[in-house]
Amino acid sequence: MSISRRSLLAALAAPPALKVVVAGGHPGDPECGCAGTIARYTDLGHAVVLLYLNRGEGYCGGEDLKRCASIRTLEAQNACRMLKARAVFADQYDGRAIVDGPHYDSFAQLLNAENPDVVFTQWPIDSHRDHRAVSALTLDAWLKSGRKFALYYYEVAEDTMMFAPADYVDISSVESRRHAACYAHVSQSPDKWYPKQVEITRKNGAAKGIAQAEGFLRHKDSKAALLP
Ligand SMILES: [Zn+2]
């Protein structure tokens, strides 16, 4: 089979595929803050992992708490399938995040095993302990790696505080997939928080004449990554 000159040139010009990790406290956090950006990345052929600190053991609507981990693991896997991403779980326990020496090490090991080019994590000033924990664990892994990957922060409606994004991704074209990935988390009553996130991304986009934009803040000492 011969390769046309045009496709060969296109292949040579295309930047190499990136490995992207989006870390979040619970199933649903990476989707709430970044689903549109994740969809844009995977559409471009980049590989994305959603790294959840726990399996949401602490709440799954009216269901028995014993069933929450399996219900929410399944919801996360459904969301990932919609986004063409992969789910990884750090296996901490919902609401009881531990940030100490052994947990810094095990989280860094899990993250480094993915060999990421860029990592998104939750902004550290947040009303939920698990969100603050995943942010601290990610920052520590980044520092210990010698700032090997690009590090960006994202926000989630209701919980994130004092967040001022500086980089934006136009997600207008993937709005329906963002919606589907967030609504995969049926047990989390998405009607309560999804509209608030849409309002955040609408405001992000307004200044730039974009319908919907997810906003991020790069760590000031991090290299810049290719955003979709
Ligand atoms: Zn959360």
Side-chain angles (χ1 to χ4, degrees), residues 25-26 29 122 128 131 159:
H26 313 96
D29 287 319
Q122 296 195 239
H128 201 298
H131 301 170
D159 298 328

Side-chain angles (χ1 to χ4, degrees), residues 24-30 54 72 94 122 126 128 130-131 156 159 188:
H26 313 96
D29 287 319
N54 59 59
R72 297 190 62 187
D94 186 0
Q122 296 195 239
D126 189 289
H128 201 298
D130 293 345
H131 301 170
V156 294
D159 298 328
Q188 302 306 295

Side-chain angles (χ1 to χ4, degrees), residues 19 37 62 97 103 150 169 178 180 205 210 228:
K19 182 63 174 288
T37 300
H103 289 83
V169 173
R178 168 170 78 148
I210 299 169

Side-chain angles (χ1 to χ4, degrees), residues 107-126:
F107 188 84
Q109 212 167 38
L110 201 59
L111 189 55
N112 289 332
E114 298 297 335
N115 197 20
D117 298 296
V118 50
V119 174
F120 295 83
T121 193
Q122 296 195 239
W123 178 244
I125 305 177
D126 189 289

Side-chain angles (χ1 to χ4, degrees), residues 86 180 189:
R86 182 163 59 84
S189 311

